[in-house]
Amino acid sequence: MTVSEVKPRKPWKASPKDRSVDLAIFIAAALLSFFFVDFTPMKGKLAYFATFFVFYMLIGAIFKFVTRGSASAVDIVVNTLVALGAIITVLPIGSILITVIVKGSKGLHLGLLTHDMSLATPTDPITNGGLLHAITGTLTLVTLALIMSVPIGILTALYLTEIKGIFTRPIRFLVQAMSGVPSIVAGLFILSAVLYPITKSYSGFMGSLALTILMIPTIARTSEEVLLLIPNDLREAGVALGGTQWRTVAMIVLPAARSGLVTAMILGVARIAGETAPILLLTGGADTVNPNPFKGPIGSLPYYIWKSFAAGSTESITRAWTGLLVLLGIILILFTLARILGNRKVAR
Amino acid sequence: MTPDAAAPAKREITTQPRRSDQVFRAIVTSGGLSSLIILGLISIFLGYRGFEIFRHEGLSFLTTSDWFLTTDDAGNVLDSHFGIAAMLIGTILCSAIAVTIALPISVASALFLNFYSPGWLKRILIAVVDMMAAFPSILFGIWGFLVLMPSAEYWAKLLNRYLGFVPFFKVDPPIFTRSPFVAGIVLAIMIIPIITSISREVFSQTPLDRIQAAYALGATRWAMIRAVVIPYGRGGVVGGAMLGLGRAMGETVAVYTVLNIMYQVNWQVLFGGGGNIASLIILKFGDSGPYEIKALMAAGLVLFFLTLIVNAGSDFIVRRATRVKK
């Protein structure tokens, strides 16, 4: 009596034959697109890209139609289209990142962090002057905006999750509406409501007021999501121990949501750090370091980038790219931080 | 013990929050109402500043396209006429182009993320798309002007050559740079992450039992998507597209760098000239006197209400789409 061992099979996995067919279709499409572009007046990388997808789709569909029928052929066409959509979504991101890094790194030098533009103009050689005023200015603006928007944003989130009064639905709606307020409108509002009637001069504070308006919805919505994740048991436990609502929220709910709230703040900062339109309207854009946000114009990264870009010479455009590289670096660091913190919150 | 011993009268149990809680609630409520206050103040102040313009121009502020102002040497306004019809139509046109381009791409990539991509790729792609939503608009503007514009011009010429018989794609003087088409592409790239993430969220809420029922009946992946996912997520996708439309309308710097502002209603999307309210404000702000600033405030108010209406509509649709199904 012989015992034959039955090997477990995985019919849902692609067999070597399926894989080699896929590979063959891929190669055939690549070759065809190469020849097609060579023999017709089309040119450019994009032409290769487009014809490759057309051929891949056609060959795949014909093959599936012959072997499996029309439903399968349609399926493979949609498959390709959907993958194409995903690639088109990612393509600009790649292009933007590469351009910024390649063009921006040309203007990087150590003096960027120690000099400001008081003795240089954007069209000077790139080693003159630096970003000190812009970086400190952006930090000042963002810090002030953070100080003003965090309490309001978190109070809004608390209202939506803890109090749940009669205004809950309208406020949720209004926060959503507020997140769609164009940045230029926020700038115009501060201009008309504060700058013209009261201070009558550009200052960093005006800029951060406008940034606050743009930041509140981000912080409020992210905090609301975080607070909703806090289990109700914790709140009930707090109240059952005889705590007032105030003490329950302040000593149990908020500490439990701490890392999520920090994530909300970071996302808020990332949202506004590169905001340009209100900065152009309100801050005046100084070329020297201005430590006082309440008096006098103040520089910032977006303003520096804008000014350099508008100057239009080769050097100044390199300056703009370098500014963008620094700005993008800051935003990406913030974003990564937020993701790490956010993941930890879920893991707990 | 007698059963008819006086039972205590029925009373209602009420709780009186403590003083500290009353204060807490008052503070939180006032904080929560801040969004209402801010939105109200925005419309009041912009309306107050722009009132003079609205009274002077009347409805022609919205229906005509001239924008001029003459002053004497002392700065007194001699003659002026402000109309934002070209800007208004241009804003709507650019964002409509953006949504037309972005919607199919976003829906495709949302479907890819939910139903096609392997887990590791999905995580990376979601992070990348979220990251893209945080890119500052000035970056899109400068990239669009320096990198995208030459390619976009080439595509515009192709479109014009092969589809030029459609009135939309006609270009009278052959100028292709800085057209609403280019601005629309830049805006589309900016709103793709927004529409993608909303569509992905809606699609991911499709009930698993229905998906598996479709597969069990022998459906291919596309047949399943068409029969289950699309009908389920349609409302959410429409809402996401409107949200993207609202964002595209309010975009300032990115449009300003790639669009040539022209005070004339232009329906030829490939022609190098168009209007945009937000860009007009940035363009005119630097060299405006007090009276012209008021006109800009009025234009800002129109933009504010436009985005508010679109946003409110999208919010309504998204909420209805996600609530009914739950």
Side-chain angles (χ1 to χ4, degrees):
Chain A
M1 199 170 160
T2 53
V3 178
S4 67
E5 207 169 296
V6 179
K7 270 193 182 166
R9 286 192 297 166
K10 291 177 177 168
W12 58 88
K13 284 221 161 170
S15 68
K17 194 183 150 205
D18 292 343
R19 276 164 201 247
S20 51
V21 166
D22 280 350
L23 192 68
I25 294 178
F26 189 88
I27 291 172
L31 284 177
L32 262 177
S33 69
F34 186 75
F35 287 122
F36 193 79
V37 174
D38 253 17
F39 288 122
T40 51
M42 287 197 285
K43 58 181 193 292
K45 283 173 229 142
L46 218 75
Y48 285 112
F49 183 73
T51 46
F52 169 74
F53 267 95
V54 171
F55 282 123
Y56 186 78
M57 212 159 76
L58 273 180
I59 302 174
I62 291 169
F63 178 76
K64 287 281 178 187
F65 183 76
V66 172
T67 54
R68 301 260 172 90
S70 64
S72 197
V74 174
D75 190 47
I76 201 92
V77 168
V78 175
N79 221 324
T80 321
L81 286 179
V82 163
L84 184 66
I87 291 174
I88 295 179
T89 304
V90 180
L91 219 55
I93 312 183
S95 167
I96 288 173
L97 280 179
I98 290 171
T99 325
V100 170
I101 291 170
V102 169
K103 297 204 173 178
S105 57
K106 277 182 206 150
L108 285 181
H109 60 96
L110 261 168
L112 281 184
L113 298 176
T114 52
H115 289 78
D116 57 23
M117 294 294 283
S118 50
L119 300 173
T121 56
T123 48
D124 277 358
I126 189 74
T127 43
N128 281 16
L131 285 170
L132 185 65
H133 66 298
I135 295 174
T136 50
T138 290
L139 280 181
T140 318
L141 289 175
V142 166
T143 315
L144 268 178
L146 203 59
I147 292 171
M148 288 184 284
S149 61
V150 163
I152 299 179
I154 291 185
L155 282 179
T156 307
L158 281 179
Y159 183 83
L160 294 176
T161 58
E162 307 297 322
I163 299 222
K164 294 179 183 147
I166 45 167
F167 300 118
T168 302
R169 282 186 65 183
I171 286 183
R172 196 166 282 153
F173 171 75
L174 286 172
V175 169
Q176 163 71 28
M178 205 171 148
S179 73
V181 169
S183 56
I184 185 109
V185 169
L188 276 181
F189 164 59
I190 298 300
L191 200 69
S192 67
V194 188
L195 203 150
Y196 282 153
I198 303 172
T199 64
K200 297 189 177 62
S201 69
Y202 297 126
S203 70
F205 182 61
M206 298 299 110
S208 29
L209 277 177
L211 294 182
T212 304
I213 295 177
L214 301 170
M215 204 169 171
I216 288 173
T218 314
I219 295 189
R221 291 172 70 190
T222 323
S223 310
E224 188 203 345
E225 273 167 34
V226 172
L227 289 173
L228 283 175
L229 287 179
I230 303 294
N232 247 336
D233 304 357
L234 284 182
R235 300 189 179 99
E236 285 159 9
V239 175
L241 284 170
T244 56
Q245 188 176 22
W246 145 244
R247 285 178 74 87
T248 309
V249 168
M251 312 190 87
I252 297 177
V253 176
L254 287 182
R258 199 175 42 214
S259 69
L261 296 180
V262 173
T263 309
M265 290 177 209
I266 295 173
L267 285 179
V269 172
R271 159 90 175 76
I272 58 149
E275 208 45 84
T276 313
I279 300 283
L280 291 180
L281 293 189
L282 297 168
T283 61
D287 284 333
T288 50
V289 175
N290 177 4
N292 183 358
F294 296 98
K295 194 164 175 287
I298 192 169
S300 58
L301 276 170
Y303 202 100
Y304 173 85
I305 296 164
W306 182 256
K307 202 175 162 187
S308 308
F309 175 70
S313 77
T314 324
E315 287 84 12
S316 71
I317 286 182
T318 310
R319 274 176 199 278
W321 284 115
T322 309
L324 279 172
L325 180 63
V326 174
L327 180 62
L328 195 63
I330 294 174
I331 290 175
L332 290 190
I333 289 170
L334 288 172
F335 202 75
T336 320
L337 261 179
R339 275 199 93 79
I340 292 171
L341 279 172
N343 283 345
R344 200 194 289 160
K345 175 196 73 208
V346 173
R348 246 182 221 164
Chain B
M1 252 191 109
T2 48
D4 57 356
K10 280 184 185 166
R11 65 195 168 100
E12 209 170 302
I13 297 175
T14 54
T15 51
Q16 181 69 34
R18 294 209 187 175
R19 179 64 55 81
S20 66
D21 266 6
Q22 286 172 354
V23 173
F24 170 71
R25 285 180 177 225
I27 290 174
V28 173
T29 308
S30 57
L33 287 174
S34 61
S35 53
L36 174 68
I37 296 165
I38 291 173
L39 287 177
L41 283 178
I42 290 178
S43 36
I44 290 171
F45 269 98
L46 292 186
Y48 165 69
R49 299 275 164 188
F51 179 70
E52 201 177 325
I53 304 294
F54 284 126
R55 200 185 50 191
H56 189 240
E57 303 289 343
L59 207 59
S60 71
F61 187 67
L62 293 179
T63 53
T64 57
S65 312
D66 307 322
W67 189 280
F68 69 86
L69 173 90
T70 41
T71 52
D72 59 16
D73 292 337
N76 298 317
V77 179
L78 296 177
D79 187 17
S80 72
H81 180 70
F82 300 118
I84 57 165
M87 302 298 141
L88 196 61
I89 289 172
T91 304
I92 295 169
L93 189 65
C94 284
S95 21
I97 297 170
V99 171
T100 315
I101 298 173
L103 188 61
I105 296 174
S106 316
V107 171
S109 56
L111 286 175
F112 180 81
L113 282 172
N114 267 336
F115 302 106
Y116 290 85
S117 87
W120 59 271
L121 186 61
K122 180 177 173 177
R123 271 197 299 280
I124 294 175
L125 283 180
I126 290 177
V128 167
V129 170
D130 282 354
M131 182 180 85
M132 191 178 179
F135 280 6
S137 60
I138 188 170
L139 176 54
F140 286 101
I142 293 181
W143 176 81
F145 186 79
L146 294 175
V147 181
L148 183 74
M149 189 89 89
S151 315
E153 213 182 319
Y154 176 66
W155 303 334
K157 281 178 184 157
L158 281 185
L159 268 180
N160 178 245
R161 190 185 308 158
Y162 295 109
L163 293 171
F165 54 88
V166 184
F168 240 37
F169 294 129
K170 224 189 277 171
V171 178
D172 278 339
I175 304 168
F176 290 94
T177 40
R178 310 195 71 183
S179 62
F181 174 69
V182 181
I185 295 179
V186 172
L187 286 174
I189 293 171
M190 295 182 74
I191 62 175
I192 280 176
I194 298 170
I195 307 182
T196 301
S197 64
I198 290 184
S199 310
R200 183 177 64 80
E201 207 127 293
V202 179
F203 289 154
S204 72
Q205 286 172 358
T206 318
L208 198 60
D209 51 353
R210 289 190 212 171
I211 294 176
Q212 290 177 337
Y215 280 143
L217 288 170
T220 58
R221 197 149 23 179
W222 165 240
M224 183 281 289
I225 288 172
R226 207 181 51 179
V228 178
V229 178
I230 300 280
Y232 185 86
R234 196 186 293 137
V237 172
V238 172
M242 276 184 78
L243 195 68
L245 186 72
R247 287 292 147 80
M249 281 175 172
E251 202 38 68
T252 314
V253 177
V255 176
Y256 178 66
T257 48
V258 294
L259 185 68
N260 183 20
I261 300 293
M262 193 174 75
Y263 301 95
Q264 205 169 42
V265 177
N266 172 24
W267 289 106
Q268 301 174 349
V269 296
L270 301 179
F271 175 70
N276 187 279
I277 298 177
S279 304
L280 172 82
I281 296 170
I282 281 282
L283 176 74
K284 284 286 169 190
F285 175 75
D287 52 353
S288 293
Y291 189 69
E292 199 171 0
I293 293 271
K294 281 182 183 162
L296 293 181
M297 299 272 178
L301 187 69
V302 172
L303 178 65
F304 176 62
F305 281 130
L306 194 64
T307 52
L308 211 59
I309 292 167
V310 172
N311 258 305
S314 77
D315 189 53
F316 177 73
I317 293 174
V318 170
R319 208 156 279 187
R320 204 184 51 176
T322 45
R323 190 180 35 190
V324 171
K325 310 283 167 46
K326 259 177 194 164

